[in-house]
Amino acid sequence: YVVRPLISKIGRSYTLLRCCVMITMKRDQLMIEQYRRIRRAQSDQVEVEMEGYVLIIEGSDLVMQAMTKDEILLQGSLRCVRVAADAQ
């Protein structure tokens, strides 16, 4: 499964769009919408299951500032955001 998202740069924020999913990154914050579940949450890595793929966020001092059934606001020093195929 290959994810070919549309990535747009608006000022200092980046938005990744795939169908109805939106991920917005601004400096030390990452907003993830329409997630399925959180697979792993540690201060240096967070894995978020999306529909058909997994987001792997790496950094330091990662903390979930807010969370609803549809959105996660992650804050910390973001180093890398990767998209991996869903193995399940």
Side-chain angles (χ1 to χ4, degrees), residues 6-19:
L6 169 67
I7 300 176
S8 63
K9 180 180 177 185
I10 304 168
R12 292 185 179 170
S13 69
Y14 295 84
T15 302
L16 181 143
L17 299 167
R18 184 178 181 278
C19 296

Side-chain angles (χ1 to χ4, degrees), residues 12-88:
R12 292 185 179 170
S13 69
Y14 295 84
T15 302
L16 181 143
L17 299 167
R18 184 178 181 278
C19 296
C20 300
V21 175
M22 186 161 72
I23 300 159
T24 305
M25 183 167 50
K26 292 183 181 181
R27 249 186 265 147
D28 63 346
Q29 291 186 332
L30 185 69
M31 173 68 80
I32 303 167
E33 298 180 23
Q34 303 299 322
Y35 73 99
R36 283 187 154 175
R37 71 180 179 104
I38 298 166
R39 287 189 174 181
R40 178 181 178 173
Q42 296 184 324
S43 64
D44 64 341
Q45 186 178 60
V46 176
E47 293 181 12
V48 181
E49 184 177 311
M50 308 298 283
E51 188 174 336
Y53 62 98
V54 177
L55 284 177
I56 302 168
I57 301 101
E58 297 175 350
S60 58
D61 302 320
L62 299 176
V63 176
M64 286 184 220
Q65 289 294 328
M67 189 166 103
T68 68
K69 66 180 185 95
D70 297 318
E71 300 175 343
I72 301 170
L73 177 60
L74 188 64
Q75 186 166 348
S77 178
L78 303 170
R79 183 174 59 245
C80 178
V81 178
R82 293 183 288 136
V83 176
D86 187 5
Q88 292 181 346

